[in-house]
Amino acid sequence: MSFIRSYLWDTLEKILSTFDCLLCLFDEFVFFCNSCFMPELPEVETVKVFLEKNVINEKTKSVKIENENLRFVITTNVSQILSNSTITKILRRGKYLLFLYNNNFTLLVHLGMTGFFRIERKYEFRKHDHLIFNFKKKKLIFNDVRKFGFVKIFNAKEILNCSHLKNLGPEPLSSKFCYEYFKNNLNRKTNIKNLLMNQSFVAGLGNIYCSEILFRSNIKPIRPINLIKDYEITKIVDSVKKILLNSIKLGGTTIKNFVVSDEKIGYFKNELMVYGRDGMGCFKCKNKIVKITQSGRSTFFCSQCQK
DNA sequence: AGGGCTACCTGTACGC
DNA sequence: TGCGTACAGGTAGCCC
């Protein structure tokens, strides 16, 4: 009996300590989760919310550059400019993050394919750490395995006119992205998937969401845009907004499940209807999902449901 | 002018 | 087991 009691107690203690440990690492788990997938608009928005909670009004004591060789070399003036300044606001534009500082400088951040942030009280080096922001009681670390991401410093006045931001199309969740805007921009010679992927047409959509949006709209990704009917424009605009909003919402809820249940799956993986499902049955008609290559990128669709 | 292609990068999966 | 190769994708920059 005492053996059983002791065994149960040990087990309970183990479970509790694991749970406690998981809770402590909650913020890190959030970004491991993100790092499993390419950051598109909803993921960048989730990162933005995380940063708002953790680094707003925190004075940056110093910035250490562990490795300056990202997509663009990190200039040494980044650490000089940001030391002893305070982040007052975090903004998102498309897939870009903007850190606004109280000294009229703005740090432009792109997560690339695998970039993510984590917060630590005591810094522990991990492979592919590139940048460490030292605050009074914590550290913000930028890690990027494939180095497609970058950080660049700009004067606040120049930032909106920089080459990365000046040609970006409207935010898909804004009222600017609507039927009229879509209709007035169909004078390009391309197909619907490439149009949605084009950041100058609409900012923030990536390869995964484009496949999903077109499945929801019942439109084949290779369709030339001059053959898109008016009612289909409405359908696409609607799908863009619904899918993005749903994904942002899920980003905030199922991560908790991820932590508690320790399932090593991304939060929107369960929601994917076509992406990565080639050879498998369509959820609507059971027909096999097809994978093709468009402009060097994989596209997934159902030839039965999408015309 | 603008559309299309490719390099960049590294971990992972797979075949031999 | 171990090696080689293909693949994944966001963006800039080049080419046509």
Side-chain angles (χ1 to χ4, degrees), chain A residues 63-100:
Chain A
V63 177
K64 191 179 178 206
I65 302 170
E66 284 281 344
N67 169 29
E68 72 273 18
N69 295 310
L70 292 184
R71 176 114 165 74
F72 304 109
V73 174
I74 303 175
T75 50
T76 46
N77 66 348
V78 166
S79 40
Q80 290 160 13
I81 291 172
L82 301 187
S83 294
N84 297 314
S85 56
T86 303
I87 301 173
T88 55
K89 206 167 188 177
I90 311 267
L91 300 174
R92 181 192 57 73
R93 178 77 175 96
K95 298 173 199 168
Y96 291 91
L97 286 165
L98 288 80
F99 293 19
L100 275 62

Side-chain angles (χ1 to χ4, degrees), chain A residues 170-187:
Chain A
E171 283 293 317
L173 292 174
S174 73
S175 57
K176 278 187 185 172
F177 185 68
C178 59
Y179 171 85
E180 286 74 23
Y181 171 78
F182 213 111
K183 181 85 178 164
N184 293 333
N185 280 276
L186 290 181
N187 51 351

Side-chain angles (χ1 to χ4, degrees), chain A residues 102-225:
Chain A
N102 66 343
N103 60 356
N104 283 328
F105 280 93
T106 298
L107 189 71
L108 183 69
V109 178
H110 197 289
L111 301 174
M113 281 284 301
T114 51
F116 71 99
F117 285 103
R118 70 177 195 273
I119 295 269
E120 283 179 359
R121 284 191 192 88
K122 197 179 169 193
Y123 177 60
E124 281 179 42
F125 176 78
R126 283 190 208 166
K127 212 175 170 185
H128 312 299
D129 281 351
H130 304 300
L131 210 59
I132 301 147
F133 300 76
N134 293 303
F135 301 107
K136 198 176 177 185
K137 287 181 182 169
K138 56 189 165 190
K139 293 152 196 320
L140 175 71
I141 301 125
F142 179 68
N143 181 297
D144 184 6
V145 173
R146 294 189 199 169
K147 300 177 189 169
F148 282 4
F150 65 85
V151 299
K152 267 189 189 178
I153 193 89
F154 288 94
N155 194 299
K157 285 177 188 166
E158 300 165 351
I159 184 90
L160 291 177
N161 214 25
C162 78
S163 63
H164 305 284
L165 301 184
K166 71 175 177 188
N167 293 323
L168 284 183
E171 283 293 317
L173 292 174
S174 73
S175 57
K176 278 187 185 172
F177 185 68
C178 59
Y179 171 85
E180 286 74 23
Y181 171 78
F182 213 111
K183 181 85 178 164
N184 293 333
N185 280 276
L186 290 181
N187 51 351
R188 310 180 187 212
K189 283 180 186 165
T190 186
N191 58 61
I192 186 63
K193 160 93 182 310
N194 283 354
L195 180 74
L196 294 175
M197 289 283 286
N198 191 331
Q199 303 298 301
S200 72
F201 174 70
V202 58
L205 302 182
N207 206 37
I208 295 177
Y209 287 100
C210 286
S211 281
E212 295 300 313
I213 287 159
L214 290 172
F215 175 75
R216 196 179 204 277
S217 311
N218 301 105
I219 296 167
K220 202 171 269 188
I222 53 173
R223 175 117 62 99
I225 57 172

Side-chain angles (χ1 to χ4, degrees), chain A residues 244-301:
Chain A
L244 292 181
L245 282 172
N246 185 43
S247 189
I248 291 171
K249 201 176 100 190
L250 285 175
T253 55
T254 54
I255 285 171
K256 263 188 186 172
N257 297 338
F258 167 66
V259 172
V260 172
S261 65
D262 197 26
E263 285 176 298
K264 298 212 185 299
I265 48 169
Y267 56 86
F268 63 83
K269 201 178 176 185
N270 294 335
E271 300 284 313
L272 297 177
M273 305 295 280
V274 286
Y275 185 86
R277 299 195 63 251
D278 51 313
M280 296 156 89
C282 169
F283 289 127
K284 282 189 201 164
C285 74
K286 311 286 183 209
N287 204 46
K288 272 189 180 176
I289 300 295
V290 181
K291 177 184 176 181
I292 58 165
T293 301
Q294 280 180 289
S295 301
R297 296 283 174 262
S298 34
T299 302
F300 301 84
F301 67 97

